Amino acid sequence: RHYPTVEIRAETFNGSTHVPVPSDSAFLKALLFELRLVDDHIFVEHRDTCTRINHSSVYSVRTEGGDLWPVLAFQKRGLIYACLPLVEETLEPRPPLLTVSGLSQGLALLLGIVDYISPSRKNEAEMSAKIGQLRYLLIQACPLGTPLNTNIRSLNSSFDDIQEMPTDENQPAWRSNTYKGKPQVNVCITEKVKCMQYDKRDVVDMWQVYGAVNCKCDIEGSAPNVTLSLNLPTNGPPLQDIVVHHCVTSVDPAMLMSSSAEPLDDSVYNGPYRFPFIPPSDSFNLCYYTSQVPVPPILGCYQLIEEGSQLKITVNLKLHESIKNSFEYCEARIPFFNRGPIAQLEYKVSYGQLDLSREKSLLVWVIGQKFPKSLEVSLTGTVSFGTAGKEHPTDYVCTGNTAYVKLYFRIPDFTLTGCYVDQHSVQIFVPGKPKITASRELISSDYYIWNSKAPAPMVYKALF
C-alpha cells in the first residue's frame, strides 16, 4: 500500500536528496536482493562487506533512484513483512534509529499484521482470504499513513462495516467496538527469565527477568476509565525499564526513570505502580518491565568429558529455596551436536525420568512438577554414538566439548520479582460490580547451563 500524503511529506523534509518510492515490483526485487534471498551466491560489496553488519531489521535498499532508508523488514513463517517509515527530519546525516518514531509505529503495525495472519499459516485458503482482507483492514488501522490501531485482529473485516463504525467523539481510536454485557477484567503477569550459567571462577553467570502485564477488559462504554496497580512484596526488587501502552492516560515520571543500565540506589521507585488507562477492545499488553533479581530460580552445573569413543556427563540442578516448588512442567534438554545417533546410553537419575528423542540426538530429562525435599536433582551417565547422518543436528558454535543443557519450565501463580495485582485495587468507573480475574506465571526463556569443562563461546557471554 502506498500513501501519497506520506511521500509528499518525505519530499518536503529532504528536498533534492529525496529518493522516490519505486513501483511494487521494483521495490520487491530490490528488497529480496538486500535480504540475500536472490543472488546470495554473488559477492556484492555494498551488501556483503564485513564492515556492514546488520544488528537490526532496518535496511538500506538500493533502487534506481537511490538508497531507500529506513526499510523495516523481517521474515516470519515463510512471509516477508516490510514497510518504509517516514523520517520527520533530514536524512543526511542519517539520524540514530532510536530517534525515528516512525520505526516503532511501523514495527507495531507489522507485528499486528503478523498476529492477524499467523494463526492461519497451515491453511493456505484461509491465509489467502486473510491477506485479501488486509486492504480493508489497513483503511481502518492506517487510513492516511499513520497507524491508529495496530491490533489488526480486532478490526472489522468488510468494507460495509467500516461505514457503520461508531462516531462517538469521546471514543479513542484504539477502541474499535463497544462491549455489551457484564463488566469483567482479566489480568495476567507473565515473567520470563533468561540465564547463562558457566560454573567457572573467571566467568560471571548472568540472568535477566523481563515481564509483561496482559489485560482484557470487557467493559461497556465508548471510553471507560480503568486504574490498575502492580504491587511488590516488601523486599521485592524494583521494576525497571518500564514501557507503557499508549492507552495509559498518565503515569508517575519516577516510575519511568528507573533504568537497568544504571546501578540501583535507595531512591529507586518501588511501587505501587499505578496505571490509569482507557482499554482497547481486545487483549493488550498494558506494560513491559525488567528487574534485577538477586538469584536465578534454578542453579546448575554441567560437566561433559570425552573419554575415547564415549562421553561422560554429569548434571546437577538445585532449586533455590525462595522459589515456589510447584511446576506445570520442568525438564532439561541435553543436545549432542556434530555427532551421530546415540548408540549406547547408561545413566542414573536421582529424580525424574530420562527419555531419548526419536532422532537419537537429544536427551530429555523430565523432572516433573516438583523437586524433591532436598531441592536437588542429579544425572550421571555415559553416551556413545553411531555414524552421523544428515538428519542429526550440527552447530558451528558447539564443537568438541563445548555444549550446554537447556532448561524449560513454567511455574503458575508465581513471579520471580514477587510482582502481583491486587484485585481490590482495580478501579473501574462504570455501573455494576465488575468481575476481576488476576493470574501470574514464570516461564524460562533461553535458560542455558554451559559445560564447565570446555570454553563457552564468547558470543553467548555478550548476550545481555
Side-chain angles (χ1 to χ4, degrees), residues 259-307:
S259 169
S260 58
E262 299 171 3
L264 288 169
D265 58 43
D266 294 336
S267 64
V268 169
Y269 189 84
N270 59 2
Y273 303 86
R274 293 180 73 254
F275 300 93
F277 59 96
I278 299 174
S281 308
D282 211 343
S283 64
F284 69 103
N285 285 330
L286 177 67
C287 70
Y288 300 91
Y289 62 84
T290 65
S291 186
Q292 299 180 40
V293 295
V295 290
I298 298 176
L299 287 166
C301 171
Y302 178 35
Q303 294 185 349
L304 180 150
I305 303 171
E306 199 159 359
E307 291 186 355

Side-chain angles (χ1 to χ4, degrees), residues 197-200 300-306 311-315 339 398-405 448-457:
Q197 296 183 37
Y198 304 96
D199 191 36
K200 292 186 176 184
C301 171
Y302 178 35
Q303 294 185 349
L304 180 150
I305 303 171
E306 199 159 359
L311 294 181
K312 283 195 171 183
I313 61 170
T314 304
V315 184
R339 305 175 190 273
C398 297
T399 56
N401 288 354
T402 298
Y404 60 76
V405 173
Y448 292 92
I449 300 167
W450 289 91
N451 177 22
S452 61
K453 296 295 184 181

